[in-house]
Amino acid sequence: MTKGKIGITVLISGGGTNLQAIIDAIESGSLKTVKIDHVISSNENAYGNSRAIKHNIPLSIIKNPDEILSELRKTKSELLVLAGYLKVLPPLFIEEYEGKIINIHPSLIPKHCGKGFYGMKVHESVIESGDKITGATVHFVDKGVDTGEIILQREVFVLENDTAEILAKRVLKIEHEILIEAIERVAI
Ligand code: GRF
């Protein structure tokens, strides 16, 4: 029964574990307020594509972000979730969806973020910095890179023998948790 649920479009570029966390939360009944209308992937080889297909969620492969707007106008989603999406969205897109686009970033913004800080590079930066605390952040997307209003953050300890890969796995679990909580907060 999807009547009255807020429709979301999830944008991905890679493994899609954040997408999977949303799918699992909806299917388990713990995330009751939204349904996934559409998944838009920037990468035809992204493993996340198979997650959408397996759960019968409409999937579009759109490599050029400039082509996303026309696709979105068809679906009329009320919330866009960037979940491991690596392309820069055009300003016109941000204007049209201001306040309706959220992104998950694997650090405690404003640390270890901005242009060039994505995926493993973020955790490498944390390890190199000697920080003992990192975490994940969900924020609204504005025209900057990782500069929009913060919705939710959660801390993760950096342990003595952490490599970037080990730290990434620990942070990813927290990303999945706060992404669901952030969607519940904004999808009202
Ligand atoms: C995650 O660390 C996410 O924060 C970043 O991309 C990585 C992969 O995310 N944006 P996913 O598994 O594709 O959701």
Side-chain angles (χ1 to χ4, degrees):
M1 231 297 254
T2 59
K3 192 173 176 336
K5 291 186 183 231
I6 289 180
I8 68 173
T9 289
V10 184
L11 288 81
I12 64 170
S13 297
T17 65
N18 281 286
L19 166 64
Q20 190 65 54
I22 301 169
I23 292 169
D24 295 347
I26 292 170
E27 293 191 351
S28 69
S30 63
L31 179 56
K32 301 181 185 345
T33 52
V34 305
K35 61 185 171 65
I36 304 177
D37 294 326
H38 197 174
V39 170
I40 293 178
S41 172
S42 66
N43 171 2
E44 62 199 358
N45 302 313
Y47 183 73
N49 301 347
S50 64
R51 299 179 193 270
I53 293 165
K54 184 176 170 206
H55 292 271
N56 303 312
I57 300 167
L59 170 70
S60 301
I61 310 292
I62 302 180
K63 293 183 181 172
N64 179 353
D66 293 330
E67 294 166 15
I68 291 181
L69 256 184
S70 55
E71 192 69 21
L72 281 172
R73 286 180 184 133
K74 289 180 216 162
T75 318
K76 296 184 175 44
S77 288
E78 294 159 85
L79 180 67
L80 309 181
V81 180
L82 308 188
Y85 186 70
L86 297 178
K87 297 271 188 178
V88 178
L89 295 170
L92 185 66
F93 183 110
I94 307 292
E95 280 159 27
E96 187 157 330
Y97 279 90
E98 185 93 48
K100 295 182 178 177
I101 318 174
I102 66 174
N103 179 53
I104 175 84
H105 181 78
S107 78
L108 293 176
I109 289 175
K111 299 196 83 173
H112 311 290
C113 66
K115 197 166 171 43
F117 284 86
Y118 57 89
M120 207 49 76
K121 293 175 192 289
V122 173
H123 307 293
E124 286 162 2
S125 173
V126 170
I127 299 285
E128 278 157 36
S129 72
D131 284 355
K132 293 300 168 216
I133 300 275
T134 186
T137 303
V138 184
H139 62 95
F140 284 108
V141 174
D142 62 12
K143 292 180 184 170
V145 180
D146 301 330
T147 51
E149 180 195 344
I150 290 173
I151 300 165
L152 193 54
Q153 291 189 298
R154 189 154 297 154
E155 292 185 344
V156 173
F157 285 114
V158 183
L159 304 179
E160 197 65 36
N161 301 320
D162 271 349
T163 61
E165 290 71 20
I166 293 169
L167 183 57
K169 283 194 179 69
R170 194 176 311 124
V171 172
L172 196 55
K173 281 197 184 75
I174 299 302
E175 291 178 46
H176 297 163
E177 281 176 22
I178 67 169
L179 183 57
I180 303 309
E181 289 176 39
I183 291 171
E184 282 179 317
R185 286 193 191 182
V186 301
I188 46 181

